[in-house]
Amino acid sequence: MVRKLERTLILVKPDGVKRRLSGKILTRFEEKGMKIVALKLLKLTTEKAELHYSVHKEKPFFRDLVNYITSGPIIAAILEGNNCINATRNLLGATDGSKAQPGTIRGDYSMGIEKNIVHASDSPESYQHEFPIYFKKEEIIEAQYGDEPHIY
Ligand code: CMP
């Protein structure tokens, strides 16, 4: 069996936290079989938000995106699992919640493209760029939970 053990960074955005959906959203990832290896509630600074979204800095929506993601508390987590980046994005659904399939997180909880509930890294390179904005290496827990056949 070929395994691709990966990590990804997810954010429950300000609309998700404000609507008290954080627990439900984390449950979706856990029930899928992903392991939470780092987790925190924080309010992002403008500098960190600009760094996170630097790939979009020439886009017309960049300033709105930064203003929005810094507007309230967010939850940041690192998830681990087999093929985790792709699996997470499949669970999120399309970027625009109004177009996302029912059954996906955005499909179930979002009607927009800005307030789209959750962010997730879209590639291993994005993960490497994003995770140090939120976590120090020592905040990532390497320990196994126990026997985890469903994850792999
Ligand atoms: P996210 O996964 O956080 O990554 C970049 C974000 O930019 C994306 O989710 C959307 O919230 C936002 N975004 C992408 N395209 C647009 C757009 N056309 N207008 C406004 N926001 C956008």
Side-chain angles (χ1 to χ4, degrees):
M1 181 172 48
V2 180
R3 292 173 184 158
K4 195 166 91 177
L5 189 61
E6 277 182 339
R7 288 179 176 171
T8 194
L9 178 100
I10 66 111
L11 303 176
V12 180
K13 295 187 181 187
D15 54 316
V17 174
K18 202 180 285 183
R19 290 169 58 194
R20 276 76 163 167
L21 291 171
S22 310
K24 279 199 171 109
I25 290 165
L26 291 173
T27 296
R28 298 283 282 263
F29 295 120
E30 287 198 309
E31 286 182 344
K32 174 74 175 159
M34 294 157 186
K35 183 163 73 171
I36 296 171
V37 296
L39 182 67
K40 66 173 69 163
L41 177 77
L42 72 144
K43 197 155 179 292
L44 207 53
T45 62
T46 300
E47 292 70 25
K48 286 192 170 188
E50 287 174 348
L51 177 59
H52 177 123
Y53 283 125
S54 55
V55 66
H56 296 300
K57 66 174 179 293
E58 306 303 333
K59 305 266 176 62
F61 56 83
F62 178 70
R63 192 46 51 194
D64 286 343
L65 190 55
V66 169
N67 287 341
Y68 168 60
I69 201 72
T70 57
S71 68
I74 59 171
I75 300 234
I78 298 177
L79 307 176
E80 184 181 274
N82 184 32
N83 203 19
C84 198
I85 292 175
N86 196 43
T88 300
R89 290 182 67 82
N90 285 340
L91 215 52
L92 291 196
T95 306
D96 184 339
S98 72
K99 296 177 183 161
Q101 287 292 316
T104 63
I105 295 172
R106 288 173 178 152
D108 289 350
Y109 296 121
S110 164
M111 281 295 282
I113 195 163
E114 182 183 77
K115 293 187 175 60
N116 64 353
I117 297 275
V118 189
H119 164 83
S121 311
D122 65 5
S123 65
E125 295 72 31
S126 299
Y127 170 70
Q128 290 302 328
H129 169 72
E130 292 169 7
F131 90 80
I133 298 170
Y134 301 90
F135 295 101
K136 299 183 194 129
K137 283 242 160 72
E138 60 268 28
E139 292 174 319
I140 303 172
I141 308 298
E142 304 283 346
Q144 296 295 306
Y145 288 3
D147 189 23
E148 306 166 296
H150 62 291
I151 292 182
Y152 309 115

